[in-house]
Amino acid sequence: MKVSMFITCLSDLVYPKVGESIVQLLAKYGVKLDFPAMQTCCGQPAFNSGYWDEARGSALTLLEAFEDSDFVISPSGSCTSMIHHYYPKLFENDPVQLARANRLVEKTYEFTQFLVQVLGVTDVGAEFPHKVTYHPSCHGSRLLGIKAEPMQLMQNVRGMELLPLPHAEDCCGFGGTFAVKMCDISGAMVSEKSDHVLETEAEVLVGLDMGCLMNIAGNLSYRGKPVKVMHLAELLAEGVKLAHERA
């Protein structure tokens, strides 16, 4: 099967290790990722700001980039949910492009959902001897229904103590353009989220969306708190490497 990586803007430009970790993990199961170079932003910032024509242009580029892929996987629940929920809306008056959008929706998965639902993998053989807490990002959990998949993967990491995050379902306050337009409210929300992270006494905060993790990491750093922030793919890849070294 031809599996393509939709890397997303933040992971591509700011956190490339996330994509590298996904490549390493999927290689364990014989999945060689294709990377269409013409891919671009999913269009979510423009869409959320009301610029639907501009968002439609970005969406058309992705439809072309992944036209021949059997599966498309992404490290971001937010960008994946943009495709799933709003691409059909963008092309509702264009039957030809709507059909292409629906085909992309059917084959596009967030990373943990692809691992668990498509490959049937819940234990990657990782070892990570640290205290970890998990932040479930809004778009992934509420729009894509990502709940069991990351928990199954984390519960099978040997040596890791998974600590519950108080009020985990609360938004971190990022929300893309929301953090710019409503910066005071956003700042208060991320401060509250960071308080809950610190309450767990975890060494590591893990999640599935680098936008949220970047926001929380920035607040923790500003406050001088030594909590490491990682995408779940990074944690699993690092844990697999550690397990191999110890074996």
Side-chain angles (χ1 to χ4, degrees):
M1 57 184 174
K2 182 180 178 181
V3 183
S4 297
M5 167 83 81
F6 169 38
I7 189 60
T8 78
C9 301
L10 269 181
S11 294
D12 182 33
L13 299 174
V14 186
Y15 301 103
K17 188 179 176 183
V18 176
E20 294 169 3
S21 297
I22 291 176
V23 170
Q24 293 163 11
L25 287 167
L26 293 185
K28 282 171 52 70
Y29 305 101
V31 177
K32 185 176 181 181
L33 285 170
D34 170 71
F35 189 87
M38 73 176 294
Q39 64 179 281
T40 185
C41 176
C42 66
Q44 184 176 182
F47 181 84
N48 289 346
S49 299
Y51 296 98
W52 284 27
D53 286 341
E54 289 78 2
R56 202 171 285 113
S58 294
L60 284 169
T61 301
L62 287 196
L63 293 183
E64 180 68 24
F66 299 119
E67 186 82 56
D68 298 324
S69 303
D70 296 320
F71 291 96
V72 178
I73 63 170
S74 171
S76 167
S78 179
C79 299
T80 303
S81 69
M82 173 66 191
I83 293 173
H84 273 247
H85 286 269
Y86 301 117
Y87 274 26
K89 182 70 175 177
L90 282 173
F91 298 111
E92 61 183 354
N93 296 319
D94 185 335
V96 174
Q97 302 305 337
L98 177 59
R100 296 177 77 201
N102 284 331
R103 288 196 295 271
L104 181 59
V105 168
E106 291 172 1
K107 63 187 179 184
T108 300
Y109 288 80
E110 182 274 332
F111 162 66
T112 64
Q113 290 185 314
F114 181 78
L115 260 184
V116 176
Q117 295 180 11
V118 179
L119 298 185
V121 174
T122 57
D123 186 349
V124 299
E127 183 176 341
F128 195 77
H130 298 282
K131 294 181 178 180
V132 176
T133 194
Y134 167 68
H135 167 64
S137 297
C138 298
H139 284 178
S141 59
R142 296 173 187 173
L143 295 181
L144 293 179
I146 301 172
K147 296 185 186 298
E149 296 89 349
M151 299 306 297
Q152 289 174 297
L153 290 163
M154 288 187 289
Q155 287 165 356
N156 285 315
V157 175
R158 281 163 278 289
M160 189 176 89
E161 183 179 355
L162 185 58
L163 304 168
L165 179 64
H167 304 285
E169 71 283 355
D170 288 356
C171 178
C172 75
F174 182 58
T177 54
F178 173 80
V180 177
K181 295 179 179 179
M182 304 287 185
C183 56
D184 290 339
I185 298 174
S186 173
M189 292 172 72
V190 72
S191 291
E192 184 176 60
K193 175 62 69 172
S194 296
D195 287 341
H196 295 316
V197 172
L198 295 171
E199 186 180 332
T200 68
E201 299 184 351
E203 303 165 79
V204 178
L205 169 68
V206 70
L208 301 177
D209 233 305
M210 288 315 307
C212 305
L213 294 175
M214 178 182 68
N215 192 38
I216 302 168
N219 187 268
L220 289 168
S221 177
Y222 177 77
R223 295 161 69 167
K225 303 300 181 181
V227 180
K228 187 174 183 179
V229 178
M230 306 175 74
H231 190 282
L232 181 55
E234 294 178 292
L235 185 152
L236 294 175
E238 188 172 312
V240 168
K241 182 180 178 181
L242 177 60
H244 286 169
E245 290 173 351
R246 293 196 174 180

